[in-house]
Amino acid sequence: MALRDELEIARKDIKTDSYPISIRELASLYREGELDIHPEFQRFLRWSTEQKTTLVESLLLGIPIPSIFVFQRTDGVLDVVDGLQRISTILHFMGELKDENGNMLSPLVMSKATYLPSLEGKQWLSDDNSKSVGEDIQKFFRQEKIDIKILLRESDDQAKYELFQRINTGGTPLSDQEVRNCILIMINRDSFFEIENLSRYDRFINCCPIPERLSLERYDLELVLRFLLLKDIKTKDILDSFDLSQFLTTEMRESFAPGARDFKSDYDVFRRVFAALDEACGDNALRKYDAKKKRFGGPFLISAFELIALGVAANIDFVEGKGVTWLAAKIEAIWSDPRAEGIYGQGVSTARRLPKTLSVGRTFFSED
């Protein structure tokens, strides 16, 4: 197919509109339920008070801010695709922002500003007039306009998720998994909370001690997603060009679409696997075992997650039947098995490692 033909087809899938909107109108749309900013996303927002103050200051100074992207749902509601932090900051400053339970958040108090130093300590409304920005500033702020770009409801349904992913990768404070979390909330809110519940499972947490930095970026949810989506993958499908991050995003969008797949049994296997691992080796389950020193050491290893956790998952009935002592011995023994040699450690790409860790683990934990 020629490039021009491909372009014509693709453009038919994406229909857009664009126009400026006043902050007064924006707040009104939110108040009346016609603008959905996904309050569940608030847990992924990292803007500091200083960053929020800078945005408010920019709007007061008339400095243009980037466009807000929204998707027009079939019910007419505008679904925010990009610009959540900007809209949330505006609404928070105006005392309009609610959390995911519908409770009004505490008023945003401004920090030190560069060009408007008197903004420090101010808020939209206050019983103490000296701390309020004042009615004249409120009117001025409400009249400011921002650019809204609308992905119209005639667009292909997947275009919203593709747009969100493209905009929110690159120079953004969101990690790949945080972007996936936001997409999953848009696709299937209930499934997102199921996955988050699994990430809080105490036995999983004990077996996967990850650094605080990775925890803040929700790497724990990525591990749950890896488990669910890699558990049954065919190793022959993992080619040299395999991009795990893209696979997780694409597979998640397809597998968690409403009615696409029932993960209930997979959730159950997840709990059974980490219950067994925790009982057998505790927080050493996914660390490397040194046969010479006869002890575990080092940090949690993603290669061990693939080799052991997913290997046990593939044989969970058999493993549970063999018992805790057997499993503990097998976990120690796998690190000395010739089949596992060279498939972990620095410099081994995911595309090279995964077919080996998955196939070795699936075989190893099926053997007496």
Side-chain angles (χ1 to χ4, degrees), residues 23 25 95 107 117 132 138 146 151 216 229 240 284 313:
I23 289 177
E25 292 174 284
S132 173
Q138 290 174 6
I146 55 180
L151 192 64
L216 290 173
L229 299 181
D240 291 341
N284 285 320

Side-chain angles (χ1 to χ4, degrees), residues 33-65:
E34 296 180 30
L35 180 71
D36 190 348
I37 66 169
H38 291 285
E40 306 96 327
F41 288 9
Q42 296 295 334
R43 69 194 68 195
F44 306 123
L45 301 188
R46 298 190 195 157
W47 272 20
S48 63
T49 302
E50 289 72 22
Q51 289 173 300
K52 294 176 181 179
T53 298
T54 298
L55 177 71
V56 171
E57 182 185 43
S58 295
L59 288 165
L60 289 172
L61 292 171
I63 298 173
I65 66 171

